[in-house]
Amino acid sequence: MPKFMFIYHGGGRPETPEEGEKVMAAWMKWMEGIGADLVDGGNPAGMSKTVSVDGVANDGGANPVSGYTLVNASDMDAACEIAKACPILEGGMGTVEVAEAMEM
């Protein structure tokens, strides 16, 4: 079965411990709903650097990544359906970029 990467952009960090617990509960509920198709729940991402032939820039990239998840899905449409329920979308604060992890 194909694997798909969910790359998160935006979102934000909880401002209080109570908010953190609420956010974590939403993520755990979503991941439990994915069930056996959850390959890697992933993690939040820290600030990135961009490495190019010109050197290293501390700019966070053109569209900074805030985290990732890896799932199995039958196809891109199925992966997007899973992503539509992702908690990062609540309140319009973040987005999910979906890409197939191509087998080599």
Side-chain angles (χ1 to χ4, degrees):
M1 182 173 297
K3 290 181 181 63
F4 291 85
M5 299 177 287
F6 293 174
I7 309 299
Y8 307 120
H9 302 277
R13 307 258 186 233
E15 295 182 15
T16 66
E18 296 79 19
E19 184 182 337
E21 289 176 15
K22 182 180 173 185
V23 168
M24 184 58 72
W27 279 90
M28 295 306 293
K29 181 179 178 183
W30 176 67
M31 287 184 193
E32 287 171 6
I34 297 171
D37 286 329
L38 181 67
V39 176
D40 181 350
N43 286 295
M47 181 56 71
S48 65
K49 296 179 184 249
T50 302
V51 179
S52 71
V53 68
D54 296 325
V56 179
N58 287 324
D59 59 5
N63 190 9
V65 172
S66 55
Y68 74 95
T69 298
L70 186 61
V71 302
N72 288 323
S74 58
D75 57 29
M76 178 62 85
D77 289 339
C80 288
E81 283 302 312
I82 296 169
K84 285 180 181 179
C86 181
I88 200 166
L89 301 174
E90 293 176 14
M93 297 291 293
T95 61
V96 182
E97 181 178 348
V98 180
E100 186 173 354
M102 305 301 289
E103 292 290 328
M104 296 295 290

